[in-house]
Amino acid sequence: MKILFVSSEVYPYAKTGGLADVAGSLPLALKNLGHDVRIIMPAHKIIYAYGSEIKQTGRKVNIPVGDANKTGRLYEGKLDNQVPIYFVGNDEYFNRVKLYGEHGRDYADNAARFTFFNRAVLEACKALSFQPDIIHCNDWQTGLIPAYLKSLYRSAPFFSRTRTLFTIHNMGYQGNFNQHFLPQAHLPWSLYTPDGVEFYGKFSFLKSGLIFSDILTTVSQSYSKEIRTSEYGFSMDGVLRHRSKDLYGILNGADYSYWDPSTNPWIKKNYSPKNLQGKQECREDLVSRMKLKVKPETPVLCFISRLCHQKGVRLVMQGIQDIMKMGAAFVALGEGDSEYQEFFRQLPKRFPGRCASHIGYDESLAHKTFAGGDMLLIPSQYEPCGLTQLYGLKYGTVPIVRAVGGLQDTVQRFSSSSKKGTGFKFKGFKFNSFNHSIQRAINIYKKDETIWRQLVLNGMSRDYSWRRSARKYVGLYHKALRSTKPKPSPIRQLPARNLNQEFDLIEPDSLALAP
Ligand code: ADP
C-alpha cells in the first residue's frame, strides 16, 4: 500500500510535543510491515539544525492563497535512513523561529500557512508522481486535505483511488479562523455550513478533517469515547457522535529504539530490568546536575510537560508545598504559558536543594530526568494518549496519573497486596485527590524497597511498542479503501460551551460539494 503520512512536526526534525514522536516512529513501523510509506511536513527553519542530509528534489509546486500565487519548493530527506520524508519549503511561511507562534501567541497568518501546506501536499503528490492509496492526516494543521479531495480535487483522476484517515491527537487545538479566509483557501462557500467546515461562525480546519475524512482515529480507546461527550468534546462532540461508526481508538506506541534505558546514549549509565544499578547512577547524576541536596531515601518526583492548563499544571503548583512536606524532591522540565514558567523558574529559590527546574525544551535532559527520577507526575485534565507515562514506565519511573484518556488505558493501579499494577491513579481533577495518590506512592517508596522494586519492574516489562498499533492502522487503511464516499447525513451540533450559542438543530440538507 502507498501511504503518505502528513504532519506539521516530525521528530527529530521538529518537535513541540507527542505528535512529533508519533510522526517520527509510526511511519517506520508501517514500513516494517512492508508498505511504501512517505512523510511530508513543512520545511520549518529548525529542520536544518538536525544535521541530517536534506536535498533539493528540483520540483516545486505553485499554490494560490487568496489572490497571490505562492511557490513551494520540495526537499527530501530520509527518516532514520529508511523512510523518505519530503519538506515543503516557503520562506515567507516557514522560515520562522517556532512552528506555530511566539511569545504565547499564534502566528497571525497560521490559516494561510497551513492552507498553503495542505494544498501543497496534494500538488506535491503530483509533482513527485507519488499516487497515495492513503493520505494519513494528523490534527488541524492537515484538516483541509480531506476537504480539498472531496471538493476541488473530487474529479481529479490522479486521486480517484486515494482515501483519507485523520488522526485526532488533541481536540483542544482546532485551527478555527475567520470565515473570510474560506475564499482565500479557494474552497467553495457551499462547504461553509454546520455540516461542513463552519463551527460557530468560524472556519474550522479540525472540523474539516472530522467531516471529510473517510476514517477517523484518535490515540487511545478511552479518549475515543470521551470526545463524544460534552465534557471532553470541545463542542465538537456532536460531530464525533455523528461519525461514531467511523471513529476508532488506536493507542500510540513508544519508539523503543530510542526510548530505552538499556541503549539510550544520553543517560549516565544504561540499565535494564535485569540490572537496575544504572538507574541509581542516573539518579545521582540528575541530583547533582539539578543541584539537589537529597538523602538516598528521598524520592525524586519529576514533571516533564508542556506547561499549559491541559497538563494539570495548576494541580502541581497547588500541591508543591505538600510535596515538600511529604519529604520529596521535585524536578520540573517544561516550556509553555509564561505564568507557569515563572512559577517553576522561582521554585528552586523557594525550596533550595529540594526543587529544581529547567524552563525550555531539552530532549537530552528529558531522557536524563526520566532515567534519574523515581516518580513521574501526570495530573492531566484530559490526555488523548500521553507518551510520557510510556517513557516513565520503560525508564522505571513510576507514573502518578489522572485516570483519563490514554493514561487510564496504559497505567494499571498498583496494589501492594497483590503486587500487581504499574502506577498510581486518581479520578477527580482536584489537588486533594492528586496529593492523596502522591502520598500513597511516597509511603510505599519509603516503607518497602522490595515492593517498590516490584512496582518498577512491572512497569519496565510492559510493551507499548508500535507493532500492534501499526497493524491496526493498516486494517483501517484497508477499510478506508473499501469505502465509497457516502453522503453524510445531518449533524446535531450542540451549543458551544462558553459561547452562548442557541441550540442548533441542523436541517437535513445534503452536503453540497463543489464544483
Ligand atoms: P503532548 O503531545 O500533549 O505534549 P505527550 O505526552 O504525548 O504530550 O508527549 C510529550 C513529548 O514531549 C514527550 O516526548 C516528552 O518527553 C516531550 N517533552 C515535553 N516537554 C518537554 C521539554 N520541556 N523538554 C523536552 N521534552 C519535552
Side-chain angles (χ1 to χ4, degrees):
M1 207 183 313
K2 287 186 182 158
I3 304 157
L4 184 65
F5 196 92
V6 192
S7 176
S8 55
E9 49 186 276
V10 180
Y11 187 81
Y13 294 97
K15 169 169 169 176
T16 66
L19 169 61
D21 288 0
V22 172
S25 50
L26 172 57
L28 294 168
L30 292 167
K31 160 117 182 49
N32 288 337
L33 293 176
H35 300 286
D36 179 356
V37 193
R38 313 200 184 174
I39 306 171
I40 188 160
M41 67 178 289
H44 301 292
K45 185 177 185 176
I46 184 97
I47 65 167
Y48 299 100
Y50 170 51
S52 139
E53 192 185 15
I54 294 175
K55 295 185 296 195
Q56 304 221 8
T57 62
R59 306 284 157 89
K60 61 180 183 176
V61 291
N62 290 312
I63 308 296
V65 180
D67 294 335
N69 198 23
K70 307 282 179 184
T71 301
R73 295 192 186 282
L74 301 176
Y75 300 87
E76 70 182 320
K78 270 240 161 117
L79 178 72
D80 211 22
N81 286 322
Q82 296 177 59
V83 173
I85 175 163
Y86 302 112
F87 305 91
V88 180
N90 176 292
D91 283 352
E92 178 192 342
Y93 288 146
F94 300 126
N95 188 19
R96 303 202 182 168
V97 180
K98 296 276 182 178
L99 272 54
Y100 313 119
E102 286 171 55
H103 315 297
R105 272 208 219 122
D106 288 345
Y107 290 130
D109 59 349
N110 272 350
R113 298 172 74 220
F114 287 98
T115 293
F116 167 79
F117 173 61
N118 281 221
R119 196 144 174 206
V121 167
L122 297 174
E123 290 300 324
C125 289
K126 294 200 264 175
L128 298 161
S129 304
F130 181 69
Q131 206 165 4
D133 298 306
I134 293 292
I135 301 186
H136 187 151
C137 303
N138 294 277
D139 275 354
W140 74 263
Q141 295 89 343
T142 63
L144 297 190
I145 292 172
Y148 278 128
L149 281 174
K150 289 194 173 164
S151 55
L152 299 190
Y153 292 77
R154 194 183 182 194
S155 329
F158 190 87
F159 292 111
S160 61
R161 255 184 63 79
T162 303
R163 297 288 181 271
T164 49
L165 182 147
F166 184 87
T167 300
I168 305 156
H169 296 262
N170 194 327
M171 287 297 298
Y173 298 87
Q174 303 187 335
N176 298 332
F177 301 101
N178 191 303
Q179 53 175 285
H180 300 303
F181 196 77
L182 197 92
Q184 305 261 317
H186 294 262
L187 282 169
W189 276 110
S190 55
L191 297 195
Y192 191 72
T193 63
D195 49 1
V197 301
E198 190 264 340
F199 182 63
Y200 299 102
K202 296 275 184 184
F203 167 24
S204 173
F205 282 35
L206 176 63
K207 193 170 170 201
S208 167
L210 301 185
I211 294 279
F212 293 105
S213 301
D214 296 303
I215 298 275
L216 299 175
T217 67
T218 188
V219 289
S220 68
Q221 282 281 349
S222 286
Y223 195 60
S224 79
K225 294 188 185 115
E226 288 166 357
I227 56 180
R228 291 172 229 204
T229 68
S230 58
E231 194 180 352
Y232 293 102
F234 283 92
S235 301
M236 298 235 187
D237 40 300
V239 181
L240 292 163
R241 283 196 298 277
H242 169 73
R243 294 226 51 193
S244 265
K245 72 174 180 24
D246 299 317
L247 170 61
Y248 298 83
I250 302 182
L251 200 64
N252 282 338
D255 180 357
Y256 292 134
S257 68
Y258 180 64
W259 289 99
D260 183 346
S262 69
T263 51
N264 188 275
W266 286 333
I267 62 177
K268 178 80 178 172
K269 184 83 197 252
N270 291 121
Y271 59 93
S272 68
K274 289 199 187 99
N275 180 4
L276 279 176
Q277 183 50 35
K279 178 149 181 80
Q280 189 53 34
E281 287 188 40
C282 290
R283 190 184 124 110
E284 283 156 21
D285 177 53
L286 181 69
V287 162
S288 80
R289 191 179 285 276
M290 301 306 270
K291 303 191 175 51
L292 293 171
K293 292 196 185 72
V294 297
K295 297 186 190 133
E297 66 272 19
T298 306
V300 176
L301 277 54
C302 315
F303 184 56
I304 304 170
S305 181
R306 286 186 292 119
L307 300 179
C308 61
H309 177 73
Q310 179 208 336
K311 297 294 182 179
V313 181
R314 281 213 179 275
L315 299 196
V316 179
M317 287 161 68
Q318 287 168 348
I320 197 74
Q321 202 113 23
D322 286 356
I323 291 173
M324 293 295 99
K325 280 192 203 136
M326 291 176 211
F330 176 79
V331 176
L333 168 57
E335 187 176 46
D337 297 357
S338 46
E339 176 205 349
Y340 298 151
Q341 291 196 161
E342 203 41 41
F343 177 91
F344 288 107
R345 196 174 276 124
Q346 296 303 327
L347 266 189
K349 289 184 203 141
R350 281 178 61 198
F351 303 103
R354 296 279 301 287
C355 280
S357 62
H358 177 92
I359 305 305
Y361 183 85
D362 188 330
E363 187 81 8
S364 153
L365 187 57
H367 283 266
K368 292 180 174 71
T369 310
F370 281 116
D374 295 304
M375 300 169 202
L376 185 68
L377 306 180
I378 319 179
S380 304
Q381 190 218 351
Y382 70 94
E383 194 57 78
C385 176
L387 290 172
T388 55
Q389 81 279 14
L390 305 186
Y391 304 152
L393 291 170
K394 187 71 177 174
Y395 279 64
T397 305
V398 175
I400 300 173
V401 306
R402 178 150 182 257
V404 71
L407 299 170
Q408 167 72 333
D409 296 356
T410 55
V411 176
Q412 287 77 42
R413 197 180 297 276
F414 183 68
S415 146
S416 13
S417 49
S418 70
K419 302 193 184 50
K420 292 208 170 108
T422 55
F424 299 88
K425 295 208 232 185
F426 64 98
K427 277 211 168 88
F429 189 56
K430 300 187 196 105
F431 102 98
N432 284 343
S433 321
F434 180 38
N435 279 13
H436 183 76
S437 285
I438 297 175
Q439 184 68 72
R440 200 174 150 241
I442 292 181
N443 288 349
I444 297 178
Y445 179 90
K446 288 195 170 167
K447 205 169 94 196
D448 197 324
E449 209 176 306
T450 323
I451 293 190
W452 188 263
R453 191 185 157 83
Q454 185 58 52
L455 166 57
V456 165
L457 291 174
N458 289 352
M460 291 181 83
S461 64
R462 285 297 139 109
D463 181 1
Y464 289 108
S465 51
W466 265 112
R467 203 174 162 77
R468 197 180 322 149
S469 296
R471 281 186 193 284
K472 288 189 184 165
Y473 276 112
V474 172
L476 290 182
Y477 296 155
H478 282 297
K479 187 169 190 296
L481 287 174
R482 289 193 298 270
S483 73
T484 51
K485 304 182 186 171
K487 274 189 177 179
S489 57
I491 301 159
R492 217 164 197 251
Q493 185 166 291
L494 289 174
R497 277 179 294 153
N498 307 326
L499 288 179
N500 295 325
Q501 293 258 242
E502 300 251 315
F503 188 80
D504 199 1
L505 182 61
I506 307 312
E507 291 301 316
D509 295 338
S510 62
L511 191 78
L513 290 169

